Amino acid sequence: MILSDGDIRRRLDSGTLEIEPLADPDLQIQPASVDLRLGREFLEFRHTNIPCIHPDSEQEVADYVDETRVDSGEEFILHPGDFVLGTTVERVTVPDDLIAHVEGRSSLGRLAVVVHATAGLCDPGFEGKITLELSNLGTAPVALTPEMRISQLTFTQLTNPAERPYGEERGSKYQGQTGPQASRIQSDDEFDR
């Protein structure tokens, strides 16, 4: 079951779902989703001379990622073919009985901007700002302005609360993130050597 606007409002009012700061609930709460705004921090992937990225190598991240902060009144230009990590303004806390799905907004999709490559799910128990995997699939640069509505969350009710929700107890890598986070795949068990 996907939550409707009324369900979302009731969850927010009762505190069983948290989205902070929700600047304009009347604008951001849609019929079956909540629009989230673009933050100011970005991780840009450098065009570099490393032969490849090794998923099990944490030290390589510094070799190919630059942090960028966009000042108030400025824009972030997403060029064709670019892939950058962004973040939401809002911090989200997903309860143990819901899953949140990160989706793009159709108005930006029509400009060829996508907000996730593959990580479109916030597990039950997730808490933090959402890292967005931003790409421009079009042929023209697109100006992104911090605070603009960039993505939306839909919420699906589980049949039962998760028995082992996302969080510190399971060693969840991105719990509590406060901005865009580069991959932490090197901490996966299969890379533990």
Side-chain angles (χ1 to χ4, degrees):
M1 173 179 74
I2 295 174
L3 299 190
S4 70
D5 52 358
D7 296 324
I8 292 167
R9 285 182 189 279
R10 282 187 285 281
R11 287 290 196 120
L12 291 169
D13 290 344
S14 71
T16 58
L17 170 64
E18 295 178 28
I19 304 173
E20 296 285 329
L22 201 55
D24 187 344
D26 288 337
L27 177 65
Q28 289 179 260
I29 297 174
Q30 300 294 319
S33 64
V34 177
D35 287 344
L36 300 182
R37 296 169 295 144
L38 181 64
R40 299 186 178 285
E41 300 86 22
F42 298 87
L43 294 180
E44 296 185 73
F45 290 77
R46 273 188 242 136
H47 298 280
T48 181
N49 289 327
I50 64 171
C52 65
I53 295 172
H54 296 92
D56 62 345
S57 176
E58 182 176 6
Q59 63 270 17
E60 281 185 9
V61 172
D63 292 341
Y64 62 84
V65 174
D66 287 322
E67 295 180 27
T68 300
R69 180 170 173 81
V70 177
D71 292 328
S72 183
E74 298 293 320
E75 300 171 326
F76 183 88
I77 306 301
L78 189 62
H79 293 276
D82 275 358
F83 175 81
V84 302
L85 299 177
T87 188
T88 59
V89 169
E90 293 81 7
R91 181 190 56 78
V92 176
T93 301
V94 182
D96 296 351
D97 65 334
L98 293 180
I99 291 175
H101 304 271
V102 181
E103 303 292 345
R105 294 186 60 227
S106 65
S107 294
L108 287 169
R110 294 166 200 231
L111 298 176
V113 174
V114 296
V115 300
H116 74 80
T118 188
L121 184 76
C122 297
D123 280 313
F126 171 81
E127 182 276 318
K129 292 185 177 185
I130 296 172
T131 295
L132 301 170
E133 303 159 336
L134 300 167
S135 293
N136 180 345
L137 303 179
T139 58
V142 177
L144 302 178
T145 306
E147 305 282 332
M148 71 184 288
R149 290 177 294 138
I150 189 79
S151 66
Q152 57 187 333
L153 287 182
T154 60
F155 300 93
T156 302
Q157 175 82 47
L158 301 178
T159 55
N160 291 296
E163 292 178 7
R164 294 187 60 225
Y166 195 88
E168 291 181 29
E169 285 184 22
R170 14 175 353 114
S172 301
K173 299 182 284 252
Y174 306 107
Q175 186 73 324
Q177 64 189 17
T178 59
Q181 297 296 308
S183 177
R184 295 180 180 164
I185 194 170
Q186 68 277 356
S187 64
D188 283 0
D189 289 343
E190 63 264 30
F191 295 122
D192 189 19
R193 297 177 196 167

